[in-house]
Amino acid sequence: MVASRSARERKAAVEAGPLAKVKIDLGGEQQFLYKISCTTCTTKGDKPWSTHRQGDDGFMAAMDRWTFHLVEKHPGAEAPCLTYLEAAQQRLHERREGAGD
Ligand SMILES: [Zn+2]
């Protein structure tokens, strides 16, 4: 369990690129909790910008959120996850449609 978690963590860190710090914890019901924080951005209150998502699609959801952060705040930054920007936007669109009514 621990080994697979750190392996996932490394894989996610590679995808997220050099500006990200990736952490995977065990959340409720033994689900993975994916946390991606930005090494350069802070929010109000001086905390690092971060996103967390839990569950089976938590990795993808957190990575999508991070991808949007990169595009918005770090134009020109390079990260493997940016390859999937179009797919991430599509998923966001679908989620919004689904949550619409
Ligand atoms: Zn940032």
Side-chain angles (χ1 to χ4, degrees):
M1 197 70 168
V2 173
S4 88
R5 192 165 79 200
S6 58
R8 279 164 192 250
E9 216 170 65
R10 277 194 299 275
K11 186 171 172 282
V14 169
E15 283 214 7
L19 284 168
K21 196 161 160 279
V22 177
K23 183 107 181 62
I24 300 176
D25 287 321
L26 275 182
E29 295 170 11
Q30 299 294 297
Q31 288 190 314
F32 286 126
L33 177 67
Y34 297 87
K35 181 177 178 187
I36 304 177
S37 49
C38 184
T39 55
T40 61
C41 292
T42 49
T43 58
K44 285 172 223 155
D46 247 13
K47 288 191 178 147
W49 182 95
S50 69
T51 181
H52 358 70
R53 294 288 188 278
Q54 184 172 311
D56 290 338
D57 57 356
F59 171 77
M60 197 172 264
M63 197 59 81
D64 285 357
R65 184 76 188 84
W66 167 250
T67 303
F68 297 137
H69 175 80
L70 274 181
V71 171
E72 211 176 291
K73 304 287 182 188
H74 307 281
E78 292 197 16
C81 64
L82 291 171
T83 315
Y84 312 115
L85 177 61
E86 217 170 285
Q89 281 166 337
Q90 182 63 34
R91 282 192 292 269
L92 179 73
H93 183 69
E94 281 165 12
R95 278 198 289 270
R96 281 189 180 155
E97 295 270 289
D101 46 28

